[in-house]
Amino acid sequence: RGAKLGWTKERILEAVRTYRYYPNYSAQVLAGKRTTTLGLFFFRAGHFADDVMADYMISSVIENAATLGYHTLASVVRDPQDSATASSLVGAFYQRRIAAGIFIGARNREPLIDQLVADGYAVGVYDQRPPSRPEPNRVVVNYDDEGTSRAVIRYLASLGHRAIGII
């Protein structure tokens, strides 16, 4: 019986390779599998292309996510007050297409982000004031905190810069 089982398994694996079969990811998520995709959302459309800090943040997020086994999908949020835009963004969380979201350029206390936090989704937000009461599913990173400043200085130094000032 063991030999026959091995033979069947080999035939199945060969068919998988031949027909380039990939499991249906949506069906796996519905069955309870966790997604390994992070959403990276930019709220200031058109303001990131020439920003070295934005480049650093984006590459840092993507590289660190990959190190932890996550994929990163990026999206520009042109108008968070637009109902279709808001519905699409929130839907990515509700439909479990993404495990968490990282927001760059959103205004402080953005209602869309506050709604996601209130609903229990994990969010990371760059350059905002921390909430008045702790929220375990909201991580706020600011340029003006000491750890971020050190990371920025290390990054600029790695590029060969020696005279660095942070204002």
Side-chain angles (χ1 to χ4, degrees):
R1 178 179 163 179
K4 186 174 184 173
L5 195 61
W7 179 78
T8 304
K9 181 179 176 183
E10 264 313 304
R11 287 181 59 195
I12 291 170
L13 292 175
E14 179 60 32
V16 165
R17 285 188 294 271
T18 301
Y19 295 105
R20 294 188 176 119
Y21 170 78
Y22 288 94
N24 184 310
Y25 193 71
S26 296
Q28 290 180 336
V29 169
L30 284 173
K33 181 177 179 178
R34 291 185 53 155
T35 181
T36 57
T37 303
L38 299 177
L40 184 55
F41 301 98
F42 302 97
F43 272 63
R44 294 184 315 162
H47 290 42
F48 291 102
D50 298 324
D51 187 343
V52 71
M53 281 309 304
D55 290 346
Y56 172 71
M57 287 186 316
I58 294 164
S59 63
S60 177
V61 165
I62 293 169
E63 285 180 28
N64 285 298
T67 299
L68 297 170
Y70 285 87
H71 305 280
T72 307
L73 294 178
S75 180
V76 174
V77 180
R78 297 199 184 283
D79 181 6
Q81 279 72 43
D82 175 65
S83 62
T85 299
S87 177
S88 176
L89 192 152
V90 170
F93 285 86
Y94 292 171
Q95 295 166 6
R96 299 188 324 192
R97 288 183 282 149
I98 58 175
I102 299 168
F103 297 88
I104 299 174
R107 66 183 178 175
N108 211 44
R109 306 315 304 177
E110 172 62 50
L112 202 59
I113 297 171
D114 290 346
Q115 175 187 348
L116 292 168
V117 171
D119 290 343
Y121 293 98
V123 300
V125 188
Y126 273 99
D127 210 21
Q128 286 192 353
R129 289 186 304 279
S132 56
R133 60 181 172 71
E135 297 171 314
N137 56 325
R138 182 193 309 246
V139 176
V140 178
V141 176
N142 286 299
Y143 294 124
D144 60 355
D145 72 12
E146 194 174 321
T148 304
S149 296
R150 274 193 300 245
V152 169
I153 290 169
R154 277 195 305 272
Y155 171 71
L156 292 172
S158 76
L159 295 176
H161 298 285
R162 296 293 173 252
I164 301 168
I166 296 181
I167 300 172

